[in-house]
Amino acid sequence: QRNAVVTNHDMDWKRLWRTDYWGLEMFDPNTWTHKSFRPLVVLTFRWNYWYHGFNSAGFHITNVAMHAGASAQLGFFAYTVLRLPALWSALLAALFAAHPVHSESICYVVGRADIICTQVLMLAIQVYGPCASAAGCGALQGWLRLAVTVLLILVAGLCKETGFTFFGLLVGWEALCLTR
């Protein structure tokens, strides 16, 4: 059975929000589902389907491009937030790109959830990072950055459930900043 949200000609927005990753009804008591709720990733599958149909090459090329983007984003994160030298940041990005642990995220189409969640969480860190630094930021800028960060964490959670755990990491980051 194909996921109707991905393959149907008309977009059913209500169905997107009530079905799991595999297109199964989450709230139907007669249907078993593991309740992986990843609507934003399903939307990217829909876009791939529009462009490539069921030709898997398009899905894999998209995953490779997204992984390359995540690797570059990690290098930028290392340079701007962690303040590593440019060479070390580039090395970190290259190791991330080539590390075998990421092969499933690239080779398997469903691994896209990991890639998108990673990208959005790194963006959240980059948005919030200046407020957690020793220099800090103003009250208005701090609240604005916090609001954007919370929104990005919610987006990451809608890509993969583990994205929601970053709320705890954000609290831990703040606790460590208070002990400075």
Short mmCIF file of all heavy atoms in Angstrom, two decimals, residues 2-10 45-46 49-50 54:
data_model
loop_
_atom_site.label_atom_id
_atom_site.label_comp_id
_atom_site.label_asym_id
_atom_site.label_seq_id
_atom_site.Cartn_x
_atom_site.Cartn_y
_atom_site.Cartn_z
N ARG A 2 0.58 2.19 -0.86
CA ARG A 2 1.39 3.41 -0.98
C ARG A 2 0.81 4.50 -0.09
O ARG A 2 -0.40 4.58 0.13
CB ARG A 2 1.40 3.88 -2.43
CG ARG A 2 2.10 2.87 -3.31
CD ARG A 2 2.13 3.33 -4.73
NE ARG A 2 2.97 2.43 -5.49
CZ ARG A 2 2.91 2.31 -6.79
NH1 ARG A 2 2.10 3.04 -7.49
NH2 ARG A 2 3.71 1.47 -7.40
N ASN A 3 1.70 5.36 0.40
CA ASN A 3 1.28 6.47 1.24
C ASN A 3 0.51 7.47 0.37
O ASN A 3 1.08 8.10 -0.53
CB ASN A 3 2.50 7.13 1.87
CG ASN A 3 2.14 8.17 2.90
OD1 ASN A 3 1.06 8.74 2.89
ND2 ASN A 3 3.06 8.42 3.81
N ALA A 4 -0.77 7.63 0.64
CA ALA A 4 -1.63 8.49 -0.18
C ALA A 4 -1.21 9.95 -0.13
O ALA A 4 -1.39 10.69 -1.09
CB ALA A 4 -3.09 8.35 0.27
N VAL A 5 -0.62 10.38 0.97
CA VAL A 5 -0.16 11.76 1.07
C VAL A 5 0.94 12.03 0.05
O VAL A 5 1.04 13.11 -0.52
CB VAL A 5 0.33 12.08 2.50
CG1 VAL A 5 0.94 13.46 2.58
CG2 VAL A 5 -0.82 11.96 3.50
N VAL A 6 1.75 11.01 -0.21
CA VAL A 6 2.86 11.15 -1.16
C VAL A 6 2.38 11.02 -2.60
O VAL A 6 2.78 11.79 -3.47
CB VAL A 6 3.96 10.11 -0.86
CG1 VAL A 6 5.05 10.15 -1.91
CG2 VAL A 6 4.55 10.33 0.53
N THR A 7 1.51 10.05 -2.86
CA THR A 7 1.21 9.70 -4.24
C THR A 7 -0.07 10.30 -4.82
O THR A 7 -0.20 10.36 -6.04
CB THR A 7 1.12 8.17 -4.39
OG1 THR A 7 0.09 7.68 -3.54
CG2 THR A 7 2.44 7.52 -4.05
N ASN A 8 -1.02 10.70 -4.01
CA ASN A 8 -2.27 11.25 -4.55
C ASN A 8 -2.03 12.57 -5.27
O ASN A 8 -1.16 13.36 -4.87
CB ASN A 8 -3.31 11.45 -3.46
CG ASN A 8 -3.95 10.14 -3.03
OD1 ASN A 8 -3.62 9.08 -3.56
ND2 ASN A 8 -4.84 10.21 -2.07
N HIS A 9 -2.84 12.81 -6.27
CA HIS A 9 -2.70 14.04 -7.05
C HIS A 9 -3.01 15.27 -6.20
O HIS A 9 -2.30 16.27 -6.23
CB HIS A 9 -3.61 14.00 -8.28
CG HIS A 9 -3.53 15.22 -9.14
ND1 HIS A 9 -2.39 15.55 -9.84
CD2 HIS A 9 -4.43 16.20 -9.38
CE1 HIS A 9 -2.59 16.68 -10.48
NE2 HIS A 9 -3.83 17.09 -10.22
N ASP A 10 -4.09 15.21 -5.42
CA ASP A 10 -4.48 16.33 -4.56
C ASP A 10 -3.89 16.13 -3.17
O ASP A 10 -3.91 15.02 -2.63
CB ASP A 10 -6.00 16.43 -4.46
CG ASP A 10 -6.64 16.73 -5.81
OD1 ASP A 10 -6.03 17.50 -6.59
OD2 ASP A 10 -7.72 16.20 -6.08
N PHE A 45 9.08 13.74 0.68
CA PHE A 45 8.87 12.59 -0.19
C PHE A 45 7.86 12.93 -1.28
O PHE A 45 8.01 12.51 -2.43
CB PHE A 45 8.38 11.38 0.61
CG PHE A 45 9.39 10.80 1.54
CD1 PHE A 45 8.99 10.20 2.71
CD2 PHE A 45 10.74 10.83 1.25
CE1 PHE A 45 9.91 9.63 3.58
CE2 PHE A 45 11.67 10.28 2.10
CZ PHE A 45 11.25 9.68 3.28
N ARG A 46 6.84 13.69 -0.92
CA ARG A 46 5.84 14.10 -1.91
C ARG A 46 6.49 14.95 -3.00
O ARG A 46 6.22 14.77 -4.18
CB ARG A 46 4.71 14.86 -1.22
CG ARG A 46 3.61 15.30 -2.16
CD ARG A 46 2.46 15.95 -1.39
NE ARG A 46 1.46 16.47 -2.27
CZ ARG A 46 0.48 15.77 -2.84
NH1 ARG A 46 0.39 14.48 -2.60
NH2 ARG A 46 -0.40 16.33 -3.62
N TYR A 49 8.43 12.75 -5.23
CA TYR A 49 7.53 11.98 -6.08
C TYR A 49 7.02 12.82 -7.24
O TYR A 49 6.90 12.35 -8.37
CB TYR A 49 6.37 11.43 -5.25
CG TYR A 49 5.38 10.62 -6.06
CD1 TYR A 49 5.70 9.33 -6.47
CD2 TYR A 49 4.15 11.14 -6.41
CE1 TYR A 49 4.81 8.58 -7.22
CE2 TYR A 49 3.25 10.40 -7.16
CZ TYR A 49 3.59 9.13 -7.56
OH TYR A 49 2.71 8.40 -8.31
N TRP A 50 6.74 14.09 -6.99
CA TRP A 50 6.30 14.99 -8.07
C TRP A 50 7.35 15.09 -9.16
O TRP A 50 7.05 15.12 -10.34
CB TRP A 50 6.02 16.38 -7.54
CG TRP A 50 4.71 16.56 -6.85
CD1 TRP A 50 3.65 15.70 -6.81
CD2 TRP A 50 4.31 17.70 -6.10
NE1 TRP A 50 2.64 16.23 -6.07
CE2 TRP A 50 3.01 17.46 -5.61
CE3 TRP A 50 4.94 18.90 -5.76
CZ2 TRP A 50 2.33 18.37 -4.83
CZ3 TRP A 50 4.25 19.79 -4.99
CH2 TRP A 50 2.96 19.54 -4.53
N PHE A 54 8.41 7.24 -8.95
CA PHE A 54 9.01 6.26 -8.05
C PHE A 54 10.42 5.89 -8.46
O PHE A 54 10.96 4.87 -8.01
CB PHE A 54 8.14 5.01 -7.94
CG PHE A 54 7.02 5.16 -6.97
CD1 PHE A 54 5.71 5.08 -7.39
CD2 PHE A 54 7.27 5.38 -5.63
CE1 PHE A 54 4.68 5.23 -6.50
CE2 PHE A 54 6.24 5.53 -4.72
CZ PHE A 54 4.94 5.45 -5.16
#
